[in-house]
Amino acid sequence: MTHPFLDLAPLTPARFAAIERQVGALLDTRQDVVIMQGEALLPLEGCIRSGARPGSTALNVITGPYGQTFGNWLRDCGVTVVDLAVPFHSAVTAEQVREALAARPEIDFVSLVHAEAATGNTNPVAEIGEVVRAHGALFMLDAVASVGAEPLLPDAWGVDLCVIGAQKGMGGPAGVSAVAVSGRAWQRFAENPQAPRRSYLSLLDWKERWIDSGRKALPHAPAQLEMLALQACLERIESEGPASVMDRHARAASATRAGALALGGGLAPYVHEARDAAPVATTLRTPAGVDASELVAKALAADPTLPLIAGGGALAKEMIRINHYGPDATQGVVHSSLAALGAALGGTGATVDLEAARSAVSAAWQNA
């Protein structure tokens, strides 16, 4: 008995390499692209353990929970970590990064998250990249949430390690990820005696066994279904046009923010300034006395397909996240999400205006 997910022809090295080229085209990069066979935490940890040299100093920018994770990995590598933490309701600025680097000239590695889906903010990578490049440090960017949802130009921005995942703005699978690696990043890896080798975390293994050998033989069996799904989502983006995909995300973010403000009931954007808000997800603060987790549960009871989730950890009681990314970056999803939240909020006794929210969403979508 055959099945469309089973009994597939082997994924050839040529097809694997072709998918790498499609990723490179999406990123508009001439750097080496390595597609790794796991969720994006795999290349993120691989980049840090390959590029962080024991005894060195790194600047770790924290605008959300992933920045905190990077700091832990860096310390585990024997690196002195300078944390630049900003409130989660804002973005870091290039000037803050410049001041941090000037205060510690020995910094040779900088880690940053482009868009923090967990907190709903996005950082000005182009300006920050210019500062990091002038300082001479290696620049690692977590672009897992931002890719597909907003401009991402690792070469133009001076990013040495640009890690992406397909499961958010790209609308693809979660089980495969990629990293674009600059020439000087490869050199740093090769010079680092602690860089992983003969390991699933090893980027050097991919370079030596795959890239340097002419991409003729894969280092290990690829995750075939995930690779085919990655290629499918890349082709869908190519068909719609990357600019159109990013425009949908920008409109969804603008419309969600406007609709939430018009809805009332005490909901407010968690990210204070619209310019700092990520196109991939909008976070909202619940009014005092209203538990975000309970509110989301009530909204999802009416429609469990909506992209609603409460904040993680300590934010679970006060933050709601509307994940308008990938196929959910549509006006209809924004309308439905706010309508469900409004109905749930109205059930708590709060005064909400569903029609005002709908009108604000429509107007913002048209004018974004």
Side-chain angles (χ1 to χ4, degrees):
M1 181 180 293
T2 60
H3 190 282
F5 292 165
L6 303 174
D7 308 316
L8 299 169
L11 191 71
T12 65
R15 189 166 186 182
F16 194 100
I19 300 171
E20 283 184 336
R21 290 193 296 272
Q22 287 178 283
V23 172
L26 178 66
L27 299 179
D28 194 21
T29 183
R30 300 183 66 180
Q31 299 176 354
D32 289 323
V33 171
V34 179
I35 299 179
M36 301 193 76
Q37 307 299 284
E39 198 268 340
L41 285 174
L42 174 63
L44 285 167
E45 184 174 359
C47 285
I48 285 179
R49 295 197 181 277
S50 297
R53 296 179 291 202
S56 64
T57 304
L59 176 66
N60 180 49
V61 182
I62 301 176
T63 59
Y66 282 104
Q68 295 170 326
T69 298
F70 299 162
N72 293 335
W73 285 338
L74 286 162
R75 291 182 180 90
D76 190 52
C77 292
V79 174
T80 297
V81 179
V82 177
D83 284 327
L84 172 55
V86 302
F88 288 179
H89 59 68
S90 63
V92 71
T93 67
E95 185 57 33
Q96 288 174 308
V97 173
R98 181 181 290 108
E99 291 173 357
L101 293 173
R104 299 293 293 270
E106 71 274 22
I107 289 172
D108 66 2
F109 189 95
V110 175
S111 53
L112 173 71
V113 177
H114 189 182
E116 285 271 11
T119 49
N121 55 33
T122 191
N123 293 301
V125 180
E127 293 88 348
I128 293 170
E130 185 176 348
V131 172
V132 175
R133 186 165 56 246
H135 184 82
L138 205 71
F139 187 17
M140 186 193 86
L141 182 69
D142 172 351
V144 173
S146 60
V147 62
E150 58 185 297
L152 176 60
L153 300 168
D155 290 12
W157 297 348
V159 178
D160 295 290
L161 296 162
C162 183
V163 177
I164 67 167
Q167 70 269 29
K168 290 188 168 66
M170 291 176 66
V176 66
S177 50
V179 54
V181 185
S182 73
R184 68 191 204 117
W186 283 129
Q187 182 178 351
R188 172 77 68 90
F189 294 177
E191 294 171 351
N192 182 5
Q194 300 301 317
R197 289 179 178 272
R198 295 171 294 282
S199 163
Y200 207 57
L201 287 171
S202 178
L203 286 159
L204 284 172
D205 286 358
W206 276 96
K207 177 168 173 55
E208 294 170 359
R209 298 175 57 191
W210 171 244
I211 297 172
D212 291 349
S213 66
R215 295 181 171 86
K216 293 183 175 63
L218 288 161
H220 49 73
Q224 184 166 356
L225 290 175
E226 286 79 4
M227 288 295 296
L228 295 175
L230 174 61
Q231 186 172 41
C233 86
L234 287 163
E235 290 172 348
R236 185 166 63 182
I237 291 170
E238 291 168 5
S239 177
E240 180 178 349
S244 177
V245 176
M246 287 186 283
D247 180 67
R248 279 196 295 107
H249 283 85
R251 289 176 187 273
S254 177
T256 303
R257 189 178 185 91
L261 287 169
L263 180 65
L267 279 183
Y270 187 84
V271 177
H272 292 181
E273 301 293 335
R275 66 173 181 271
D276 297 334
V280 73
T282 296
T283 47
L284 303 171
R285 189 184 297 275
T286 54
V290 176
D291 186 291
S293 295
E294 294 177 2
L295 195 68
V296 167
K298 291 178 182 177
L300 289 177
D303 185 352
T305 68
L306 294 174
L308 301 173
I309 187 172
L315 299 174
K317 291 185 177 298
E318 65 181 38
M319 179 195 283
I320 294 170
R321 199 168 96 202
I322 302 179
N323 292 324
H324 42 67
Y325 52 66
D328 287 328
T330 67
Q331 187 175 355
V333 167
V334 174
H335 278 307
S336 298
S337 297
L338 289 174
L341 285 175
L345 194 57
T348 68
T351 300
V352 296
D353 191 333
L354 295 175
E355 187 52 41
R358 171 168 284 277
S359 296
V361 167
S362 298
W365 190 277
Q366 294 301 320
N367 298 325

Coordinates of all heavy atoms in Angstrom, one line a residue, residues 196-227:
P196 N 32.4 22.6 17.5 CA 32.0 21.2 17.3 C 32.5 20.5 16.0 O 32.4 21.1 15.0 CB 30.5 21.3 17.4 CG 30.2 22.6 18.0 CD 31.3 23.5 17.6
R197 N 33.0 19.3 16.1 CA 33.3 18.5 15.0 C 32.8 17.1 15.2 O 32.6 16.7 16.4 CB 34.8 18.4 14.8 CG 35.4 19.7 14.3 CD 36.9 19.6 14.1 NE 37.6 20.8 13.6 CZ 37.7 21.1 12.3 NH1 37.3 20.2 11.4 NH2 38.3 22.2 11.9
R198 N 32.5 16.4 14.1 CA 31.9 15.0 14.2 C 30.7 15.1 15.2 O 30.6 14.2 16.1 CB 32.9 14.0 14.7 CG 34.1 13.8 13.7 CD 35.2 13.0 14.2 NE 35.9 13.7 15.3 CZ 36.7 14.7 15.1 NH1 37.0 15.1 13.9 NH2 37.3 15.3 16.2
S199 N 29.9 16.1 15.0 CA 28.7 16.3 15.9 C 27.5 16.8 15.1 O 27.7 17.5 14.0 CB 29.1 17.4 16.9 OG 28.0 18.0 17.5
Y200 N 26.3 16.6 15.6 CA 25.2 17.1 14.9 C 25.1 18.6 14.9 O 24.5 19.3 14.1 CB 23.9 16.5 15.5 CG 22.7 16.5 14.6 CD1 22.8 15.7 13.4 CD2 21.5 17.1 14.9 CE1 21.7 15.6 12.6 CE2 20.4 16.9 14.1 CZ 20.5 16.2 12.9 OH 19.4 16.1 12.1
L201 N 25.8 19.2 15.9 CA 25.9 20.7 16.0 C 27.0 21.3 15.0 O 27.1 22.5 14.9 CB 26.3 21.1 17.4 CG 25.2 21.0 18.5 CD1 25.9 21.2 19.8 CD2 24.1 22.0 18.2
S202 N 27.8 20.4 14.4 CA 28.9 20.9 13.6 C 28.6 21.5 12.3 O 28.1 20.8 11.4 CB 29.9 19.8 13.4 OG 31.0 20.2 12.7
L203 N 28.9 22.8 12.1 CA 28.8 23.4 10.8 C 30.0 23.1 10.0 O 30.0 23.1 8.8 CB 28.6 24.9 11.0 CG 27.2 25.4 11.4 CD1 27.2 26.7 12.1 CD2 26.2 25.3 10.3
L204 N 31.2 23.0 10.7 CA 32.4 22.6 10.0 C 32.3 21.3 9.3 O 32.9 21.1 8.2 CB 33.6 22.6 11.0 CG 34.1 24.0 11.4 CD1 35.1 23.8 12.5 CD2 34.7 24.7 10.2
D205 N 31.6 20.3 9.8 CA 31.4 19.1 9.2 C 30.6 19.3 7.8 O 31.0 18.7 6.8 CB 30.5 18.1 10.0 CG 31.4 17.5 11.2 OD1 32.5 17.8 11.3 OD2 30.8 16.8 12.0
W206 N 29.6 20.1 7.8 CA 28.9 20.4 6.6 C 29.8 21.1 5.6 O 29.8 20.8 4.4 CB 27.7 21.3 6.9 CG 26.5 20.6 7.4 CD1 26.1 20.4 8.7 CD2 25.5 19.9 6.6 NE1 25.0 19.6 8.7 CE2 24.6 19.3 7.4 CE3 25.4 19.8 5.2 CZ2 23.5 18.6 7.0 CZ3 24.3 19.0 4.7 CH2 23.4 18.5 5.6
K207 N 30.7 22.0 6.0 CA 31.6 22.7 5.1 C 32.5 21.7 4.5 O 32.7 21.6 3.3 CB 32.3 23.8 5.8 CG 33.3 24.5 4.8 CD 33.9 25.8 5.4 CE 35.0 26.4 4.5 NZ 34.6 26.6 3.1
E208 N 33.2 20.9 5.3 CA 34.2 20.0 4.8 C 33.6 18.8 4.0 O 34.2 18.4 3.0 CB 35.0 19.5 6.0 CG 35.8 20.6 6.7 CD 36.5 20.2 8.0 OE1 36.3 19.0 8.4 OE2 37.1 21.0 8.6
R209 N 32.5 18.3 4.5 CA 32.0 17.0 3.9 C 31.0 17.3 2.7 O 30.7 16.4 1.9 CB 31.4 16.1 4.9 CG 32.4 15.7 6.0 CD 31.7 14.9 7.1 NE 31.0 13.7 6.6 CZ 30.1 13.0 7.3 NH1 29.9 13.4 8.6 NH2 29.5 12.0 6.8
W210 N 30.5 18.5 2.7 CA 29.4 18.9 1.7 C 29.9 20.0 0.8 O 30.0 19.8 -0.4 CB 28.1 19.2 2.5 CG 27.0 19.8 1.6 CD1 26.5 21.0 1.7 CD2 26.3 19.1 0.6 NE1 25.4 21.2 0.8 CE2 25.3 20.0 0.1 CE3 26.3 17.8 0.0 CZ2 24.4 19.7 -0.9 CZ3 25.4 17.5 -1.0 CH2 24.5 18.4 -1.5
I211 N 30.1 21.2 1.4 CA 30.4 22.3 0.5 C 31.8 22.1 -0.2 O 31.9 22.3 -1.4 CB 30.4 23.6 1.4 CG1 29.0 23.9 1.9 CG2 30.9 24.8 0.5 CD1 28.9 25.0 2.9
D212 N 32.8 21.8 0.6 CA 34.2 21.7 0.0 C 34.4 20.6 -0.9 O 35.3 20.5 -1.7 CB 35.2 21.7 1.2 CG 35.4 23.0 1.9 OD1 34.8 24.0 1.5 OD2 36.0 23.0 3.0
S213 N 33.5 19.6 -0.8 CA 33.6 18.4 -1.6 C 32.7 18.5 -2.9 O 32.5 17.6 -3.6 CB 33.2 17.1 -0.9 OG 31.8 17.2 -0.5
G214 N 32.2 19.8 -3.1 CA 31.4 20.0 -4.3 C 30.0 19.6 -4.2 O 29.3 19.5 -5.3
R215 N 29.5 19.4 -3.0 CA 28.1 19.1 -2.8 C 27.7 17.8 -3.6 O 26.6 17.7 -4.2 CB 27.1 20.2 -3.2 CG 27.3 21.5 -2.3 CD 26.4 22.6 -2.7 NE 26.4 23.7 -1.7 CZ 27.3 24.7 -1.7 NH1 28.2 24.7 -2.7 NH2 27.2 25.6 -0.8
K216 N 28.5 16.8 -3.5 CA 28.3 15.6 -4.3 C 27.7 14.5 -3.4 O 27.0 13.6 -3.9 CB 29.5 15.0 -4.9 CG 30.1 15.9 -6.0 CD 31.3 15.3 -6.6 CE 31.8 16.2 -7.8 NZ 32.3 17.5 -7.4
A217 N 28.0 14.5 -2.1 CA 27.5 13.5 -1.2 C 27.0 14.1 0.1 O 27.8 14.9 0.7 CB 28.5 12.4 -0.9
L218 N 25.8 13.9 0.5 CA 25.3 14.4 1.8 C 25.9 13.8 3.0 O 26.2 12.6 3.0 CB 23.8 14.3 1.9 CG 23.0 15.2 0.9 CD1 21.6 14.6 0.7 CD2 22.9 16.6 1.4
P219 N 26.2 14.6 4.1 CA 26.9 14.0 5.2 C 26.0 12.9 5.9 O 26.6 12.0 6.6 CB 27.1 15.2 6.2 CG 27.0 16.4 5.2 CD 26.1 16.0 4.2
H220 N 24.7 13.1 5.9 CA 23.8 12.0 6.4 C 22.5 12.1 5.7 O 22.2 13.0 4.9 CB 23.7 12.2 8.0 CG 23.4 13.6 8.4 ND1 22.1 14.2 8.2 CD2 24.1 14.6 9.0 CE1 22.1 15.4 8.7 NE2 23.3 15.7 9.2
A221 N 21.6 11.2 6.0 CA 20.3 11.1 5.4 C 19.5 12.4 5.7 O 19.3 12.7 6.9 CB 19.6 9.9 5.8
P222 N 19.0 13.0 4.7 CA 18.2 14.3 4.9 C 16.8 14.0 5.5 O 16.3 12.9 5.2 CB 18.2 14.9 3.6 CG 18.2 13.8 2.6 CD 19.1 12.8 3.3
A223 N 16.2 14.9 6.2 CA 14.8 14.8 6.6 C 14.0 15.1 5.4 O 13.6 16.3 5.1 CB 14.6 15.8 7.7
Q224 N 13.6 14.1 4.6 CA 13.1 14.3 3.3 C 11.8 15.0 3.3 O 11.6 15.9 2.5 CB 12.9 12.9 2.6 CG 12.4 13.0 1.2 CD 12.6 11.7 0.4 OE1 13.1 10.7 1.0 NE2 12.2 11.6 -0.8
L225 N 10.8 14.7 4.1 CA 9.5 15.3 4.1 C 9.7 16.8 4.4 O 9.1 17.7 3.8 CB 8.6 14.7 5.1 CG 8.1 13.3 4.7 CD1 7.2 12.7 5.8 CD2 7.3 13.3 3.4
E226 N 10.5 17.1 5.4 CA 10.7 18.5 5.8 C 11.4 19.3 4.6 O 11.1 20.5 4.4 CB 11.5 18.6 7.0 CG 10.8 18.3 8.3 CD 10.7 16.8 8.5 OE1 11.2 16.0 7.7 OE2 10.0 16.4 9.5
M227 N 12.4 18.6 4.0 CA 13.1 19.3 2.8 C 12.1 19.6 1.7 O 12.1 20.6 1.1 CB 14.2 18.4 2.4 CG 15.4 18.4 3.3 SD 16.2 20.0 3.5 CE 16.8 20.3 1.8

